[in-house]
Amino acid sequence: MASMESRSLPRAAATSMALAIAIVFLIYTTERLGDAASVEHTFMVSQVKMTHLCKETLVTVVNGQLPGPAIYVTEGDSVTVHVVNKSPHNITIHWHGVKQWLNCWADGVPMITQLPIQPNQNFTYRFNVIGQEGTLWWHAHVPFLRASLHGALIIRPRNGASSYPFPKPDREVPIIIGDYWQLDLAQAARRMMHGFLFSFANASTINGKLGDLFNCSGVPEDSYVLDVVPGKTYLLRIINAGLFSEFYLKIAGHKFTVVGADANYISPYTTDVIAIAPGETVDALVVADALPGRYYMVALPNQAPLPDTQTPEYTTRGIMQYSNTYSSADDPAGLMSDRGVEEKEEEDKGSSGDVPVAPEMPDIHDTITSYYFHSNLTNLYQTVVPQRVDERLFIVLSLGSICQHGQSCRRGDHNETILIATMNNVSFQDPTGKTPLLEAHYYHTGSVDLMQELPDRPPRAFNFTDEALIPYGPKEMRLEPSYKATMVRRFRHGAVVEMVFQSTAVLQGDSNPMHLHGHNMILLAQGFGNFDAAKDVAKYNLVNPPVKNTILVPNLGWAAIRFVANNPGVWFMHCHYEFHLTMGMAAVFIVEDGPTVNTSLPPPPAHFPTYCGHDNNLLPDELCLQTKKDA
Ligand code: C2O
C-alpha cells in the first residue's frame, strides 16, 4: 500500500506536469495564432545620398537602406506595412507574388488598384500571406523607381524550418541582384516613355554592393561577402530586382540545389548555374563543401544575340568565404582587383590567400543555358492542372512604333518617333481617368466597360520569330501597325484560362518575363520558334509543371500557361523588364465576382483613399461622404 501510494504521488505529479505543459503549449499556440502572427513594419520612403563610382547620387530608398528591409513572415501571418512617403515621387508598393486573395485593394499598382501615395502622404497596406512558402519580394510599382525601392519578402512554413521539404539549412540568406543608377530614375522613365531615348544603369549589384569589378579611381567598390562555415548548408533566397536583364549566377567551386521558385517548392534540381529573370525568385541550397578559401559569386546579365541592339550591362560579383580563413572585415582589396572573370579558369582547389577563385561564366549571348534551367524546373508535388479550358489567348509580345502625340506622320516615313511595346499589337496606355480602375470596377461606374479589350490573338499571323524583322524596315513596318489603349480583359469567376505567349523578332529578339498579379500561373511548356498547337500541345506537362508568378518567355520562343481566374479584382499583367513595361507591354485582367460572398471582392478597407472630392469623381456621393467621415 505504502509503496503504491509513494509511487502514485510522483505519477500524479507527472500527470499534472504534463497537463501544465499541455496548457502552456495551448496558450502559446493560441498566442502564436493570435498576436504573434501579425507582422508590422513602417516603410519610410526618402532620398538619401550614396557615393559610388566617385559620384554622389540621391537615391530614393526605404528606411535609408538599399536593398530595403526584408520582411520575414510565417505562412498564415497577417502583414501591415505603413508607408510614409517623404520622397518627392508618387509611389505605391506592390507585394510581388503575394496572391492577395480577396484583397486586390492592397496590390499596390497606381491608378489600377489605388491612387498613388503622394509626397508627404501615408498609406497602410494590410494583407495575409496564405498558402505560399518561400521567397517573394516587394517593390515600388512606378516606372523605374523599383530599381532602388525593393526588398525581400520571405515566407517560412507554419511548422518551422524542420518542415521544409528538403534538408534543414543552417542559415538562410537573401541574395538580391539589382542595378545601381546614377541617373535620376524618374527622369530615366520619362525619357523612355517619350521617345527612343534609352538610359542605363551604371552598375549591377548583389545585396546593394557593386563589388570589385567596379572602382572609384582604382579603389574597388565594396563586395557582398557571404561568410560560410565548412560543411554547413545555406539556403540562398535569390531575387532578380534588376530592371533590364536576366542574370546568370554562379559560385566558383560550388553547386546549387534548386528547391523553390516564386514561393513554390521545386523538385530538387542540382546545377552549377542559376538563370533568373526580373521578377523571378529562386531558392537554392548551397553546401560549403569545397576546400576552405574564397570563391567569387558572379552575376552576369545576359542579352539577346546580335543582330539585336546591344545595351551596356554589367557583371557584378561578391565573395563566398570560409570563415576559418578570413573574417568579413578582412578584405584585401588590392589583391583581388585586377583579374577579370573571363581570364580565369575554374579551379577545384580553394584559393587560400590572395585572389578568390572565379567561376567560368556562360557567354553573355547564351540563351540556351537559361532555357535549360527553366525547362528543368518541375513542381515538387503533383500540380493540380485544370483540364477543361474555358478561354484561350494567344498573346504576341512585340515592339512597334507610333507618332509623337499631336504630330502627323505616315507609316514608313520614319517619323514614328515613339517606340512602344505591345501585346497583340496594342500597347498599354496608363489609365488617364482620375479614378483607379479597381474603384471604378467595384462601384460599376461603367468607365472600365468602355475600354479596349485585349485581343485574343494578333491581327495577323506571320513568322513571328523571323530574325529579318529585327532591323527597322519595310517588313517590320507592314507587320506592326500598333496603337496605345488602356487594355482590359474580363474573365468570368473561375474561368480556366490558357495563354500562349509568343515572343517575336519585331525590332528586337528579347525574352519576356511575363508577370501576373493576384494569381499563379502553371507553366505547361516552352519552346523556341513559333508555337504550333498541332505539335506543341503534346509537350504540355500536365503532371508536375512548375507554378510561377513570372514566366520567362524565351528569346524567339514561346511559353504556354494556364491559370484559374478565381481571385476577383483588377490585376495587372505585364512584362517585368522595366523598359517593356514602361513602353506598354501590359494589360489589365478583370476577374469578376463569384456567386457567394466568399468569392466576391469585399469593399475597400476603412480609410482607403478614393478620388472623392474631385470634380470628375464618379463615385456615388454617399460613398464619398462615408470615406470622408471615416478619415
Ligand atoms: Cu513585380 Cu507588376 O510587378
Side-chain angles (χ1 to χ4, degrees), residues 94-97 107 109 137-141 146 278-279 515-517 549-550 572-576 581:
H94 168 58
W95 314 94
H96 178 113
D107 196 43
V109 188
W137 58 301
W138 57 265
H139 61 78
H141 214 300
R146 74 172 176 81
H515 173 54
L516 173 61
H517 290 213
N549 63 57
T550 305
F572 214 17
M573 192 276 281
H574 60 89
C575 182
H576 221 280
L581 169 58

Side-chain angles (χ1 to χ4, degrees), residues 612 620-631:
C612 290
D621 265 2
E622 323 83 79
L623 286 164
C624 287
L625 292 173
Q626 188 60 45
T627 317
K628 276 186 198 148
K629 223 173 36 215
D630 285 354

Side-chain angles (χ1 to χ4, degrees), residues 564-578:
V564 185
N566 57 5
N567 192 4
V570 174
W571 306 103
F572 214 17
M573 192 276 281
H574 60 89
C575 182
H576 221 280
Y577 282 144
E578 199 70 0

